[in-house]
Amino acid sequence: MSITRKMILGYIILIFIPVLGFGYHYYTQTYGNLTRQFVESRQKILEQAYANMKSDFIRIQSVQRLLQYNPYVTDYLDGVYQTDADSVYALIRYIRPLYTQSLFANPEIESIVIYKMKNRVLPVTDLFRDQSLLNAQIEEKVEHLKPGKGLWIREEPEAAKPDLIYYQHIYNTQFTERIGLLEIRIRNSLIGNFYAAAGVEGNWHAFLLSPDGRPLNEGEAASALDEQTLHRLGQDDSAFFINRKSIVNGINIDELNVRVVVAGRAGEVFYSIKQRELILVTLIVLLLVGLSVAYYAMASTITKRILRLARFMRTLNNDNLRQHIIKPDKLDEKDEIGFLTATYNSMVQRVDELINNAHRAELRNKEAAYMVLQAQIKPHFLYNTLETIRMVAESNNDREAADISFWFGKLMRYSLSSKQDVTTLERELEMITFYLKIHKMRLQARLTYEIDVSVEAKHIACPRFILQPIVENSIVHGASAVLRPVHVRLQVEETPEEIRIRIEDNGPGIALDKLLAIQNQITNGSELRSEGEESRGIGIYNVSERIKSFFRGTSRLNLESRQGEGTCVTIIIDKGEAKNESIDRG
């Protein structure tokens, strides 16, 4: 998968999908909280409307108490008045004003009628009626009413705004006998006011449900509610609920033995809110799409340059190390990709140089191998020549010439023939002996030497030529620099912790400033600036570094000297790090 597709996929997985998911979750949570708060507020309004209607019920029911405790009404219904004239007088003088006052105080009341239960009571058509005119079903329902209890009846049970009728008995003054049945007819404005207070207007509809949850007017309910909501109304008696299509609030009206449901379509109720939310969601989606396009364009400008560089790198091989060509208008870019391209060009150039250098080095190695092959003939010729000189000297009884030829041949064979840089201390001491004998032959009485070895030198491994440069310094800067005899002493001894090789002479010594310079070079590796002691300092410094590198640990070289008295060089070998191993003696 290309880097561009990876960036797009990463953008979709890490940004696009999470943003949409979070937006959708946030929208649903916000919408859910908003709708729930809305439904709860409407439920409180519905409960307040019902509380107001209950107070209206109580106010209307108080008419019965007003009539019950009026002596003229009870006397009239109980047949106390003996003549019609007395009855008419009481009716006009005391009872009818009471009726008028009740109707005026309760505008919802359409009519007030009392059904008399005694025959001797004078009937008045609009106020008092004979009990025989009462509906038999109503009479059966009110038969079992207890004193102080009334009955509310819906005149049209299936109507959404039915007229209401209230029935309650009126008793004699001793409450021992029923003397009348009060009927109060209520206009449907009472239910209408309740609906208005509950917010039933516009897109909201009110329905009456039976105690078992069945709509009393199924046709009207079916036209306003979907089947899912109707089914839930029959199964769920919760105060309110909301689904994707409907918002439903309900409350039980115990006086009428019904449940009032106020419902509205969610889409119509939240139409304006949904319109604004739709616009907001559209803007977010458009913004996200715009940002995605901008991100893709920006990513493309970055990845295209990387892809071009990657395609170019795939074409490279040992025979094709050309630099990546950048357009002239892009050469001055200082961004990371430009830096990467410039670094890549430098790397390719360097690799090309290294390959060429390696090729040239390979040619030089082949040439050097050829030269080494040629040079192998020269040492053998030199050894044979020295051996011939020694044999001729011995045949002529020239012992000194024979010895010098023998010693020099050993030194040359030791110098040129060994294939490795490691030898034993025994062989190193042997070569020093030959070296001193040659110089003794040259300097005669001006040079004396002494070699004292008290260790098993053949078991101690060491680098080659760690003693020869020091002995050479004692002869060149000691015996050759003065006319008096110089004695060189080489002593090898050991302790439980270390081996000490001590080389000392009684030559002219080293001046103090030069001695400090050489000691500083040995200790710190600093550059020796004194030209007079440069060769001595470099030789001792090289020996010191070889000792430290080979023996490691606390192995070191110490230099001591006093001007006019001589010089002493001590090589200290840490026995814990010394290498005891077999060495090629060839």
Side-chain angles (χ1 to χ4, degrees), residues 64-81 90 94-95 98-99 114 116 118 120-121 128 169-175 177-180:
Q64 188 272 342
R65 291 191 294 274
L66 182 64
L67 298 175
Q68 174 69 58
Y69 293 102
N70 189 290
Y72 297 102
V73 175
T74 55
D75 289 345
Y76 186 91
L77 293 174
D78 201 18
V80 173
Y81 300 111
Y94 299 107
I95 298 176
L98 189 61
Y99 271 62
I114 298 177
K116 65 184 184 66
K118 293 186 176 183
R120 63 177 179 270
V121 177
F128 298 97
H169 287 107
I170 296 177
Y171 292 82
N172 59 10
T173 55
Q174 290 79 25
F175 284 89
E177 181 184 8
R178 294 175 179 176
I179 57 177

Side-chain angles (χ1 to χ4, degrees), residues 516-541:
L516 293 176
I518 297 174
Q519 288 176 340
N520 183 57
Q521 183 190 33
I522 294 173
T523 304
N524 302 322
S526 60
E527 182 181 357
L528 186 65
R529 298 183 180 180
S530 175
E531 297 181 358
E533 294 294 330
E534 183 176 1
S535 59
R536 172 182 288 189
I538 292 176
I540 293 178
Y541 173 75

Side-chain angles (χ1 to χ4, degrees), residues 465 468-478 481 510 514 517-518 521-522 527-544 557 559 569:
F465 295 107
Q468 187 271 337
I470 301 174
V471 174
E472 182 180 1
N473 284 338
S474 297
I475 295 174
V476 173
H477 300 285
I510 306 173
K514 296 178 180 180
I518 297 174
Q521 183 190 33
I522 294 173
E527 182 181 357
L528 186 65
R529 298 183 180 180
S530 175
E531 297 181 358
E533 294 294 330
E534 183 176 1
S535 59
R536 172 182 288 189
I538 292 176
I540 293 178
Y541 173 75
N542 289 338
V543 172
S544 175
L557 183 146
L559 173 64
V569 177

